[in-house]
Amino acid sequence: MPPLTSLLQDFGYARSRYFKLHKHRDEKLWARLLISSAFALFFPSFFMSLGVVFGRAQLSLASVLVSFLLGFFIAFSIHGAYRTVELLASEKRLARLNAGGWGGSLFFAGVPMVIMALSFSVFTWLLRVVADIEVRGSPFDSVRAASQFLFISLMFALASIYVAWQSNKRKALQLQATEAQLLRLQAQIEPHFLFNSLAAVQSLIDPAPERAKQMLECFTDYLRASLATLRLETCQLEQELQAVQSYLMLMQIRMGEERLQFSIEVPAALAKLKLPPLLLQPLVENAVMHGLEAKAEGGHVRIEGALVDGCLRLRVVDDGLGLAASQRRARPGHGLALKNIRERLAARHGEEARLSVTPSEQGCVAELILPLDDKKTP
């Protein structure tokens, strides 16, 4: 039997995904069914309590059993309706609904109301046909009962809209905090890099003035490109690639052209695509600093870009020492940089965007998957 902590983790993961639409479900089935069962038990108990406190409802064992059966029928009908939407709708459509706003809020509030009314009618019909049981006290028996049903449903709908609004507000604050953390991280890392670069320029002024001049030009280009996008919410892919190219040219002079080779294989048609700034550069820095700089003979860094299944895929491929050496030589901010990227992606795009760093036959591959925004594509 799995330990209690493992069961709690599985349940917590299922709960975190239960109230959002996902085309691919990888949580435990028992956990999802348990959450739906909790709703199935809660709502009949809630309405029966209202009936006893404010009405003249007379509860019996049969009425309680029928009420709970109805609760399970409605709960799993709603669950099935949402799952049907997940399977039929596109990823972009699901993302728009999950993003909130009036459209998403009305969807998540309206579906339960409609399914609840339909399920109640179907359930009472089945009882009458199969078991010859006539259900009395239906919400649709009179205008007053229907008004009470609609009022309570409206209260739940408004509550769900408020909860969704609060959730989006928390996500916006989380994104702001993550972006602030990015600036702090850059403030920690950049001085070290700047000092080393200036020291390298100074060391070349007398013995190799042409190389010092070239390095200073690359250094200036790097600063211009990186600082221009640092405070932007989004930048164009070509801007990110320009900063990366300037960085690689600078490191090529420092390490020597024979020890650092690089190539950028991104189609020109992708140049105007929008993405959050400073996503690609930390991955390139990791490839150079941890994969190639410590390798005596150096190596090659390749940056690839392509459209795959309606998403932008960016890859940083190196033939360096690999992930094990990267972890042994970890510098301040290294692990935090990857964690920061993942948090920024999650805050902006949810599960549509992801970062993976995997070993290859020689070196490692860092891959970014970013959804395309139709309003920001050329």
Side-chain angles (χ1 to χ4, degrees):
M1 181 179 178
L4 180 60
T5 54
S6 178
L7 294 176
L8 292 176
Q9 288 176 354
D10 291 338
F11 179 78
Y13 178 66
R15 183 175 58 84
S16 67
R17 289 167 54 89
Y18 187 85
F19 298 99
K20 292 291 184 180
L21 299 172
H22 305 281
K23 187 171 287 290
H24 304 289
R25 291 282 184 179
D26 58 352
E27 59 267 38
K28 300 294 185 182
L29 179 61
W30 67 264
R32 291 172 55 198
L33 296 180
L34 182 62
I35 297 173
S36 296
S37 299
F39 282 106
L41 294 172
F42 170 76
F43 284 104
S45 302
F46 175 76
F47 283 110
M48 283 188 290
S49 299
L50 289 180
V52 171
V53 174
F54 298 103
R56 299 179 179 178
Q58 299 294 325
L59 297 182
S60 63
L61 179 60
S63 64
V64 171
L65 289 176
V66 170
S67 297
F68 282 123
L69 284 175
L70 174 60
F72 275 93
F73 188 81
I74 292 176
F76 284 97
S77 295
I78 295 174
H79 184 98
Y82 280 133
R83 187 60 187 144
T84 302
V85 172
E86 290 176 339
L87 295 175
L88 295 180
S90 64
E91 292 277 8
K92 287 187 176 181
R93 181 60 179 168
L94 296 180
R96 292 193 190 99
L97 293 173
N98 285 331
W102 285 107
S105 299
L106 289 175
F107 171 81
F108 285 108
V111 168
M113 292 176 60
V114 173
I115 298 301
M116 188 183 301
L118 293 176
S119 299
F120 190 94
S121 300
V122 172
F123 184 80
T124 55
W125 177 80
L126 288 174
L127 283 180
R128 184 168 59 253
V129 172
V130 176
D132 196 24
I133 297 177
E134 190 71 30
V135 177
R136 296 182 180 179
S138 165
F140 311 106
D141 285 346
S142 65
V143 174
R144 180 181 178 183
S147 300
Q148 292 175 345
F149 172 80
L150 291 176
F151 176 77
I152 295 174
S153 299
L154 181 61
M155 291 300 100
F156 279 111
L158 293 176
S160 65
I161 292 175
Y162 176 77
V163 170
W165 176 73
Q166 288 287 348
S167 177
N168 291 332
K169 185 178 179 180
R170 285 195 300 270
K171 286 183 178 179
L173 293 175
Q174 180 185 359
L175 178 58
Q176 293 178 6
T178 304
E179 297 292 350
Q181 186 182 32
L182 171 66
L183 295 177
R184 290 195 300 270
L185 177 62
Q186 288 299 117
Q188 295 170 9
I189 298 174
E190 288 298 336
H192 179 74
F193 174 74
L194 298 180
F195 175 79
N196 287 344
S197 298
L198 290 174
V201 172
Q202 184 180 19
S203 67
L204 292 173
I205 290 177
D206 292 331
E210 288 300 323
R211 284 189 63 195
K213 178 182 178 182
Q214 183 183 6
M215 189 172 186
L216 188 58
E217 290 175 351
C218 292
F219 185 59
T220 303
D221 292 339
Y222 166 76
L223 288 179
R224 184 184 298 111
S226 59
L227 293 178
T229 61
L230 184 59
R231 291 174 176 82
L232 296 178
E233 182 179 352
T234 60
C235 68
Q236 293 180 348
L237 178 58
E238 63 179 351
Q239 293 176 292
E240 185 85 350
L241 292 175
Q242 182 181 357
V244 167
Q245 183 175 355
S246 299
Y247 168 80
L248 287 170
M249 292 176 66
L250 180 61
M251 293 302 298
Q252 194 175 53
I253 298 174
R254 282 180 55 180
M255 294 174 57
E257 293 186 11
E258 69 282 355
R259 293 191 62 231
L260 176 57
Q261 300 291 325
F262 69 90
S263 59
I264 300 178
E265 303 173 4
V266 179
L270 306 182
K272 301 300 181 182
L273 293 182
K274 298 280 189 174
L275 73 163
L278 293 174
L279 288 182
L280 194 58
Q281 185 174 321
L283 304 180
V284 176
E285 291 180 6
N286 284 340
V288 174
M289 302 295 290
H290 302 288
L292 301 181
E293 194 173 40
K295 189 177 178 182
E297 65 273 25
H300 186 273
V301 178
R302 185 174 71 256
I303 302 169
E304 304 173 352
L307 292 181
V308 179
D309 296 329
C311 294
L312 172 62
R313 185 185 70 186
L314 298 172
R315 303 177 74 199
V316 179
V317 184
D318 71 79
D319 56 0
L321 296 178
L323 290 177
S326 173
Q327 294 170 356
R328 289 195 300 268
R329 289 173 48 84
R331 60 184 172 90
H334 165 58
L336 184 58
L338 298 179
K339 179 176 179 290
N340 184 280
I341 291 176
R342 290 191 172 98
E343 289 178 351
R344 294 174 66 201
L345 293 177
R348 287 176 178 267
H349 303 292
E351 294 187 348
E352 287 189 289
R354 60 184 181 273
L355 165 65
S356 62
V357 181
T358 56
S360 60
E361 293 182 3
Q362 188 176 7
C364 67
V365 178
E367 182 176 271
L368 277 169
I369 301 295
L370 298 168
L372 295 181
D373 190 336
D374 294 336
K375 297 179 181 179
K376 298 177 183 178
T377 53

